[in-house]
Every structure is written in C-alpha cells, then in structure tokens.
C-alpha cells in the first residue's frame, strides 16, 4: 500500500474548526465526570485522545491533490472519492458537510479495535452504553493493546472475547470524518458504498437500535450504488463482480447465523454445563466446518473467507455476525413508495426513528411484508 509522505498541515483557516473540535472533545471528556469509576474515565479519555490524533493528522484533500509528494495512487483514489462525495450530496441528499473532504494516514491497518464479549453458554452479547451512540454490543479502542488488555479482563470474569480491527466508523456528524488510509484503497464500488453508508448514519441514527441503523444505511448504500452505476455507465463486469461479492458475503453471514441458531438451541436445553460444553465443542469442531464446506461448494470453492474461518471462532466472535440487513427490504419498499425521492424517504425514516422500538419494528414488518408480496 502506497502512502504519501507526512506533511505539516497549515494552521491558516483552521482556527474555527479547531475550536469546534476542542469544544466537542471537551464535552466528550466532561461526560466521564458524570459516570463514576476511574476505568470509565480512562476509557473516554483514550477515545478523546484517539479522535484528536486523527483530527490532528488530517490534511485537506484539495491540498494533497496539488502536493508533489502525494503518491499518484493516492491522488487517484482521492479524486474518485471527491466524485462520490459530490454525488452523495447532490443525488442522494446526504449531508453536505466536511466529512470525507480531509485525509488522514493513521500509519496502521485499522483505525480502532472493537472488543466483543459473551458468556460461555450464550450468544447474547455483553452490552455497553454510551452518551452518543446508545447501547451497542462492542467497546472500541484506538489502541490494539488496550483492546487486548480489556478483553483479558473480561476473560478473567468468565467471558469469551474477541477483538476485531475496524477500518472505518462514523462519528454521526459530531466531527468531520476524514478519509483514512485504512479504507481509501478499496475497489471503486466498495469505496463508493462505504462513503454512502457512513454518510447515511449522519442522516438518521437511533441510539440503541443497531439493526435499524445498519439496515437503513445499507439500503441507502445500495440505492446509491445503483444510481451511480446508471449515471457512470460502468463496465458490466465490474458491476457484476461487486454484486456477486455482496451476494456471497450475505450467504456467508446466513450460514453463520444458522450455526448461531444451532448453538442457541443447545444453550437453551435443560442439561448440565458439562454436557453443554461437550456438545458445544462438537458443534464447533464438526458442524461449523461442514457448513462452511457446503458454502464453499455453492460458490465454486471460493477461498474468500478462509482467513476468517482459520481464526478461532467462539460465542463472542459470532456476536460480530449479526443480521444487520434484516430490515433492508422494508427500507427499499419505503423508498419505492416515496417515488424513489430520497428527501421524502428520509422524512419517513425520521418519523420511524421517533417511534418506540416495538412500534418501529411493527411498521417495518408491514413494509417488509409488502415488499415480499411484490416479489416474483
């Protein structure tokens, strides 16, 4: 991966932005004061420091494009993203702000590392609640070692854990999210999809309802890709490759969800923990590999997910495989019923977001059923 050389960022014209960022970081740190516990304060402190570090390293895309020491490969990617960014605002009605108009090289493979945890006989994830994002099934760190240290603490408490690197995340509009070296070199349609997806989180976000948020953002991503392809008249082979990758990934997730359901049935059985442990080990050593082999056969013996399967799999790692696309058909139906007008669509999504979770899910289910009834 080619990286541009580090250059000092000019201070001119950034005083106002700097003040705004400092103010918001101070709010984030101040929130730790209302939550007791040194561990909590330390966690929010590392989050603020990590966010500040990324902000301090960022450089304006326009400046990088005219800099002699920016690699040709990076320039090409930045030019491409500028087109995606303009399209997102003009054609998809997504926030027209300074997100993705800057670039930062973190000099590492991942921007954050998330810690997941679950009990030995449960697929239900341990939950953490935050002032902005609400309750989620992970805890993020800007340092891999700190994430591993926290995972070890949870293991000592009897939890199974998994630490996974994350290439991109959204601050939900609190900060101007920059482009990062951790994802800038993705293939064109995957990169476009990421930009559309993350900006959608800034459009509508419901704290504590991950499935709603991810389904909505995915629906926007898919609509955006479809419109981008039509406008650009892209190579059909490139489009077909992207679509096949999405279908294959969805099938892989469905395979793992089916295995999770098998585990859930075992954990619910009225047998001793010793018996559960024996049967659990058997499922992981026999059932999961068989399911994966069947998956590979369906996709012409692909090796795309071999590296995922070769790493240890436990309850906590299966937590990362969630049905985040559950309500995608519902949102697609809602968009269709608004005449494919993105502005009207966002208004309706915002109304759903204001409902109680059960009411929201009930309305999404109605939309989902209407979508399925129209399918051939």
């Amino acid at each position: 991966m080619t990286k541009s050389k580090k250059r000092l960022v000019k201070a001119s014209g950034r005083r106002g932005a700097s003040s705004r960022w400092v103010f918001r970081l101070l709010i984030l740190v101040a929130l730790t004061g209302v939550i007791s516990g040194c561990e909590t304060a330390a966690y929010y402190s590392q989050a603020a420091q990590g966010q500040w570090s990324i902000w301090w390293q960022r450089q304006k895309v326009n400046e990088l494009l005219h800099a002699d020491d920016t690699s040709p490969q990076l320039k090409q990617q930045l030019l491409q993203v500028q087109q995606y960014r303009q399209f997102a605002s003009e054609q998809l009605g997504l926030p027209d702000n300074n997100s993705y108009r800057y670039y930062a090289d973190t000099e590492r493979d991942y921007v954050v590392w998330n810690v997941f945890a679950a009990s030995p006989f449960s697929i239900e994830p341990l939950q953490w609640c935050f002032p902005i994002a609400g309750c989620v099934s992970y805890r993020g760190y800007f340092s891999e070692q700190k994430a591993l240290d926290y995972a070890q603490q949870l293991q000592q408490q009897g939890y199974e854990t998994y630490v996974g690197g994350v290439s991109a995340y959204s601050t939900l509009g609190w900060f101007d999210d920059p482009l990062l070296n951790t994802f800038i070199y993705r293939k064109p349609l995957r990169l476009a999809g990421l930009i559309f997806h993350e900006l959608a989180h800034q459009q509508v976000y419901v704290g504590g309802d991950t499935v709603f948020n991810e389904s909505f953002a995915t629906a926007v991503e898919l609509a955006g890709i479809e419109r981008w392809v039509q406008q650009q008249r892209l190579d059909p082979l490139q489009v077909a490759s992207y679509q096949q990758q999405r279908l294959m990934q969805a099938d892989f997730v469905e395979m793992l969800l089916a295995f999770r359901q098998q585990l859930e049935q075992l954990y619910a059985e009225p047998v001793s923990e010793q018996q559960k442990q024996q049967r659990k080990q058997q499922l992981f050593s026999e059932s999961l590999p068989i399911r994966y082999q069947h998956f590979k056969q369906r996709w012409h013996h692909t090796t795309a997910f071999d590296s995922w399967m070769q790493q240890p799999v436990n309850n906590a790692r299966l937590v990362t495989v969630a049905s985040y696309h559950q309500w995608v058909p519902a949102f697609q139906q809602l968009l269709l019923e608004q005449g494919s007008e993105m502005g009207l669509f966002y208004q309706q999504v915002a109304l759903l977001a204001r409902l109680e979770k059960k009411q929201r899910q009930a309305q999404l289910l109605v939309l989902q059923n209407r979508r399925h009834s129209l399918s051939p």
Side-chain angles (χ1 to χ4, degrees):
M1 182 180 295
T2 305
K3 296 182 179 178
S4 63
K5 296 178 181 178
K6 285 289 178 183
R7 299 190 302 113
L8 292 177
V9 183
K10 294 181 180 179
S12 60
R14 293 186 56 185
R15 186 173 181 180
S18 175
S19 299
R20 178 164 54 87
W21 273 61
V22 170
F23 176 69
R24 291 185 178 183
L25 283 168
L26 287 174
I27 290 177
L28 181 60
V29 175
L31 285 170
T32 67
V34 301
I35 306 174
S36 62
C38 295
E39 181 184 338
T40 302
Y43 173 75
Y44 279 96
S45 177
Q46 68 85 30
Q49 291 172 13
Q51 190 65 48
W52 173 265
S53 175
I54 290 175
W55 176 82
W56 188 249
Q57 294 177 75
R58 68 180 190 156
Q59 302 173 68
K60 289 182 178 179
V61 168
N62 287 335
E63 291 181 0
L64 284 169
L65 289 173
H66 293 91
D68 294 334
D69 57 355
T70 303
S71 72
Q73 184 185 10
L74 179 56
K75 282 187 178 181
Q76 180 182 353
Q77 295 299 103
L78 293 175
L79 281 169
Q80 191 69 60
V81 171
Q82 279 195 322
Q83 295 180 43
Y84 301 149
R85 188 66 186 80
Q86 183 176 359
F87 180 85
S89 297
E90 295 180 355
Q91 303 296 322
L92 303 180
L94 291 170
D96 187 6
N97 52 30
N98 283 325
S99 289
Y100 308 117
R101 302 190 192 280
Y102 292 83
Y103 172 76
D105 188 341
T106 65
E107 297 187 325
R108 54 184 187 262
D109 293 332
Y110 298 104
V111 60
V112 294
W113 286 263
N114 284 343
V115 179
F116 300 86
S119 298
F121 300 114
S122 174
I123 299 297
E124 290 300 314
L126 190 62
Q127 294 273 321
W128 291 270
C129 297
F130 303 102
I132 300 171
C135 296
V136 293
S137 59
Y138 58 85
R139 180 155 153 151
Y141 287 84
F142 283 88
S143 161
E144 182 179 17
Q145 188 56 55
K146 288 182 179 179
L148 292 171
D149 290 344
Y150 183 64
Q152 187 175 27
Q153 292 179 32
L154 293 174
Q155 290 170 16
Q156 293 171 353
Q157 297 173 31
Y159 289 102
E160 294 184 357
T161 65
Y162 170 69
V163 176
V166 178
S167 300
Y169 69 95
S170 173
T171 59
L172 308 179
W174 274 70
F175 303 98
D176 299 328
D177 296 323
L179 299 165
L180 300 172
N181 65 295
T182 54
F183 64 78
I184 191 66
Y185 297 100
R186 290 188 178 188
K187 292 181 179 180
L189 290 181
R190 288 192 62 209
L191 184 55
L194 183 147
I195 299 299
F196 302 155
H197 187 106
E198 297 302 334
L199 285 172
H201 284 314
Q202 295 186 22
Q203 185 74 33
V204 179
Y205 184 89
V206 180
D209 196 341
T210 302
V211 177
F212 176 88
N213 296 326
E214 293 300 329
S215 296
F216 163 67
T218 299
V220 173
E221 173 188 344
L222 294 175
I225 290 294
E226 182 180 357
R227 296 179 188 201
W228 174 261
V229 166
Q230 291 174 351
Q231 184 187 86
Q232 299 296 313
R233 299 180 180 178
L234 298 181
D235 179 2
L237 292 178
Q238 180 185 2
V239 177
S241 174
Y242 169 78
Q243 291 173 336
Q244 184 180 36
Q245 287 176 0
R246 288 198 64 92
L247 289 172
M248 184 167 60
Q249 183 174 3
D251 190 25
F252 180 71
V253 169
E254 288 301 317
M255 181 272 294
L256 291 175
L257 289 175
F259 178 69
R260 265 182 42 169
Q261 187 174 19
Q262 193 175 6
L263 284 174
E264 285 180 309
Q265 292 173 351
L266 166 63
Y267 297 156
E269 290 183 8
V271 297
S272 68
E273 289 193 354
Q274 183 178 3
Q275 290 175 303
K276 285 184 181 180
Q277 183 62 33
Q278 291 174 346
R279 291 172 61 182
K280 173 184 174 182
Q281 290 176 347
Q282 186 177 16
L283 289 178
F284 274 103
S285 62
E286 297 178 10
S287 177
L288 183 57
I290 291 174
R291 287 177 181 273
Y292 184 55
Q293 287 305 313
H294 289 165
F295 162 81
K296 294 186 68 170
Q297 290 171 8
R298 290 196 296 273
W299 293 96
H300 308 290
H301 302 282
T302 179
T303 60
F305 296 94
D306 282 3
S307 59
W308 197 98
M309 293 295 297
Q310 286 165 3
Q311 299 177 42
V313 182
N314 59 17
N315 291 344
R317 193 151 188 235
L318 289 172
V319 164
T320 69
V321 184
S323 184
Y324 287 162
H325 295 184
Q326 178 180 343
W327 299 119
V328 170
F331 285 112
Q332 290 175 326
Q333 178 63 24
L334 184 59
L335 177 58
L336 181 66
E337 293 179 2
Q338 308 312 308
S340 297
E341 291 289 335
M342 300 302 293
L344 296 176
F345 171 61
Y346 296 146
Q347 290 177 18
Q348 293 302 312
V349 174
L351 291 176
L352 287 173
R354 296 190 188 106
L355 298 176
E356 294 293 329
K357 190 171 185 178
K358 288 185 178 180
Q359 292 178 306
R360 184 164 59 245
Q361 290 177 339
Q363 291 204 22
L364 287 169
L365 184 59
V366 171
L367 287 165
Q368 194 104 311
N369 291 335
R370 282 210 293 267
R371 179 76 171 182
H372 292 324
S373 67
L374 295 174
S375 301

